[in-house]
Amino acid sequence: MRIVLVGPPGAGKGTQAGLLSEKLGVPHISTGDLFRAHVEKATELGLEAKRYMDAGELVPDGVTNAMVHQRLVEPDARVGFLLDGFPRTVAQADALNVCLSDNGSKLDAVLELEVSERVVMERLLGRGRNDDSEEVIHRRFEVFRNETAPLLEYYGDRLVTVDAVGSVNEVTTRALRALQALP
Ligand code: AMP
C-alpha cells in the first residue's frame, strides 16, 4: 500500500505511522525524522534544514522533494510506503505524483488524522522537542492551515478521515478499519 498521512502538528502522525507501517508491512518514511537525522549528523542538508525547523517554517520544496525522491527509490519503498509529514504543500504533492507516475504507481489512500487545535496544543507543550516552544508551535499551526490544509481538498476522493482523539490503540484500530474499508 502507498499511503500518505496528513494532520496538524501533534495529531500523532509519527506514533500512528510507526504502528501502521508495522501492521501493513511497509516502511515508515517521515520527512521530519529524515531531516532530524541530517541535523544530528550535521550534514550540509541538515544545517540548511535546521534554520527552518527551529522557526517552525517549511524547509524549501526543492530540498525536501529531492530528499524524498531519493528515499522512495530505495528497494524497500518500491512495494509500498507510509509517508508521514510529506507532502505538506500542493507543490510537494505534484512532485510526489510525478515521482509515482514515473514508476507506474499511485497513492492508495491519504489518511487524515483529525484533531482540534486545542487538544494538540496541550499534547505538544508536553512533548518537549526543540521546536516545541509555544511560539514555534503557533507558527507550525499557521503553516499547516495555509500550506498543508489545501491538500485535503487536493486529494478529495482518496481522503480517508479518522478521528485522532482517543488512546493510541483506538486511533490505530480506527485507521486500520478505515483503510480496510477502501474499495
Ligand atoms: P515533523 O517531524 O513532521 O513535525 O517535521 C518537523 C519539521 O521538519 C517541520 O516543522 C519542518 O520544518 C520540517 N519538515 C518536515 N517535513 C517537511 C516537508 N514535507 N516540507 C517542508 N518541511 C518539512
Side-chain angles (χ1 to χ4, degrees):
M1 279 195 109
R2 296 180 179 84
I3 302 171
V4 160
L5 204 56
V6 185
K13 292 190 297 294
T15 306
Q16 291 302 331
L19 293 165
L20 291 170
S21 78
E22 241 172 68
K23 302 254 183 205
L24 300 169
V26 293
H28 168 202
I29 301 177
S30 153
T31 39
D33 286 350
L34 291 174
F35 282 131
R36 280 184 288 275
H38 275 282
V39 170
E40 221 157 90
K41 283 189 252 162
T43 65
E44 203 173 313
L45 194 157
L47 295 177
E48 157 103 5
K50 188 176 186 325
R51 291 190 289 134
Y52 295 94
M53 296 169 80
D54 285 349
E57 303 291 342
L58 294 182
V59 179
D61 285 343
V63 178
T64 307
N65 291 342
M67 181 179 76
V68 172
H69 181 80
Q70 224 174 46
R71 180 64 187 86
L72 289 183
V73 296
E74 282 178 35
D76 65 331
R78 293 248 162 203
V79 286
F81 52 74
L82 208 166
L83 269 175
D84 157 18
F86 183 94
R88 258 177 159 98
T89 66
V90 169
Q92 290 180 5
D94 286 336
L96 178 61
N97 270 347
V98 171
C99 186
L100 292 176
S101 56
D102 280 353
N103 296 329
S105 60
K106 61 175 181 53
L107 288 179
D108 294 296
V110 175
L111 191 66
E112 177 196 9
L113 294 183
E114 193 178 44
V115 55
S116 80
E117 235 177 81
R118 191 181 48 79
V119 171
V120 285
M121 184 61 85
E122 277 163 26
R123 282 191 196 166
L124 286 174
L125 287 171
R127 191 167 71 170
R129 217 170 68 183
N130 247 355
D131 53 352
D132 278 347
S133 74
E134 199 163 346
E135 191 192 335
V136 174
I137 292 173
H138 274 294
R139 181 61 195 141
R140 298 221 310 273
F141 271 116
E142 218 166 60
V143 169
F144 176 79
R145 281 194 300 264
N146 297 338
E147 308 278 341
T148 309
L151 287 179
L152 302 176
E153 206 168 309
Y154 176 99
Y155 280 125
D157 55 339
R158 266 162 304 171
L159 197 66
V160 177
T161 302
V162 168
D163 176 9
V165 182
S167 73
V168 169
N169 282 339
E170 275 165 2
V171 178
T172 310
T173 304
R174 279 178 211 148
L176 286 172
R177 283 212 187 109
L179 291 173
Q180 277 156 7
L182 283 174

